[in-house]
């Protein structure tokens, strides 16, 4: 308000000097008026610049705080994700171990079933074993039990030998 009042007084003084034909006074009043306007404009510019710098500092501070909060949340989420990934890895390992155990049990059961099937198919044995069994039966029918017992032992031994050979040949295919 004081500045506006001074400006009005100078403008009035300039106008009065111009009407009285005191041009030097009017010129001096006009120059003073222009100088005051420049000072006012400069003061306003500096005030606006100071306000701008203050707002900029506040924005930077707010941005820094926001960035710090973001980094804290990011680190927290990153840790949570790491823990979740580790939990998933452990769960997957447990599941895979369980699946492997089930598969091994299935293979063992299949091996046992194969061996039983082969044993039942082999229970008659080879031609040698079959001949020994027929001889054993013939000896038992004619009541030569001692000889039948010896032939039975030979047949059992031959059958066991054939089964061992079969297992040795077949065993590498199903072992876990």
């Amino acid at each position: 308000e004081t500045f506006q009042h001074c400006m009005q007084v100078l403008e009035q003084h300039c106008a009065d000097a111009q009407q009285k034909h005191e041009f030097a006074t009017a010129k001096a009043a006009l120059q003073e008026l222009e100088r005051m306007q420049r000072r006012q404009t400069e003061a306003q510019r500096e005030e606006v610049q100071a306000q701008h710098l203050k707002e900029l500092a506040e924005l930077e501070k707010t941005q820094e705080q926001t960035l710090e909060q973001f980094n804290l949340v990011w680190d927290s989420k990153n840790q949570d994700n790491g823990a979740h990934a580790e939990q998933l890895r452990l769960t997957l390992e447990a599941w895979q171990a369980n699946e492997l155990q089930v598969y091994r049990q299935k293979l063992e059961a299949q091996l046992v079933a194969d061996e039983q099937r082969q044993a039942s198919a082999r229970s008659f044995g080879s031609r040698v074993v079959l001949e020994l069994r027929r001889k054993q039966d013939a000896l038992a029918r004619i009541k030569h039990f001692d000889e039948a017992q010896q032939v039975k032992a030979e047949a059992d031994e031959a059958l066991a030998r054939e089964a061992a050979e079969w297992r040795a040949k077949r065993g590498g295919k199903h072992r876990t």
Side-chain angles (χ1 to χ4, degrees):
E1 279 185 40
T2 308
F3 178 76
Q4 287 297 332
H5 179 68
C6 286
M7 294 290 284
Q8 287 175 354
V9 169
L10 273 175
E11 285 175 1
Q12 185 63 40
H13 181 65
C14 183
D16 289 345
Q18 190 176 3
Q19 278 183 350
K20 294 180 185 176
H21 301 287
E22 296 173 357
F23 298 116
T25 305
K27 183 179 178 183
L30 184 61
Q31 287 175 345
E32 182 62 26
L33 183 62
E34 289 173 353
R35 188 180 59 79
M36 284 183 71
Q37 286 175 340
R38 280 193 306 269
R39 274 198 324 225
Q40 178 63 18
T41 303
E42 183 65 25
Q44 287 175 345
R45 187 190 63 77
E46 287 176 2
E47 185 180 321
V48 167
Q49 186 176 11
Q51 182 64 27
H52 176 71
L53 290 174
K54 181 181 173 186
E55 289 174 2
L56 184 62
E58 289 174 2
L59 282 174
E60 287 175 351
K61 183 179 177 183
T62 302
Q63 183 181 14
E64 186 177 312
Q65 289 172 347
T66 303
L67 184 61
E68 286 176 14
Q69 289 173 349
F70 174 80
N71 285 336
L72 289 174
V73 169
W74 181 269
D75 291 342
S76 172
K77 294 288 183 185
N78 197 21
Q79 287 176 349
D80 291 347
N81 287 341
H84 182 66
E86 181 64 18
Q87 181 62 36
L88 288 176
R89 186 186 65 78
L90 292 174
T91 302
L92 181 60
E93 282 180 2
W95 179 79
Q96 287 175 336
N98 185 46
E99 287 294 312
L100 180 62
Q101 184 64 27
V102 167
Y103 183 69
R104 284 182 176 172
Q105 289 172 350
K106 179 182 171 186
L107 283 180
E108 282 295 322
Q110 186 178 7
L111 180 61
V112 168
D114 286 351
E115 286 179 356
Q116 288 173 350
R117 189 172 48 254
Q118 290 295 330
S120 68
R122 283 190 325 268
S123 63
F124 298 110
S126 68
R127 186 182 332 167
V128 173
V129 174
L130 290 174
E131 284 295 322
L132 288 172
R133 295 284 185 215
R134 269 184 259 174
K135 188 176 178 181
Q136 169 194 325
D137 289 341
L139 287 170
R141 269 184 262 133
I142 60 171
K143 310 246 190 279
H144 289 102
F145 296 118
D146 290 334
E147 289 177 47
Q149 183 64 33
Q150 286 177 343
V151 172
K152 179 184 182 305
E154 285 178 40
D156 289 345
E157 192 176 297
L159 186 62
R161 190 173 46 250
E162 289 175 8
E165 288 173 6
W166 180 84
R167 274 198 279 299
K169 181 174 78 174
R170 183 89 173 137
K173 294 183 181 177
H174 289 294
R175 294 292 173 231
T176 54

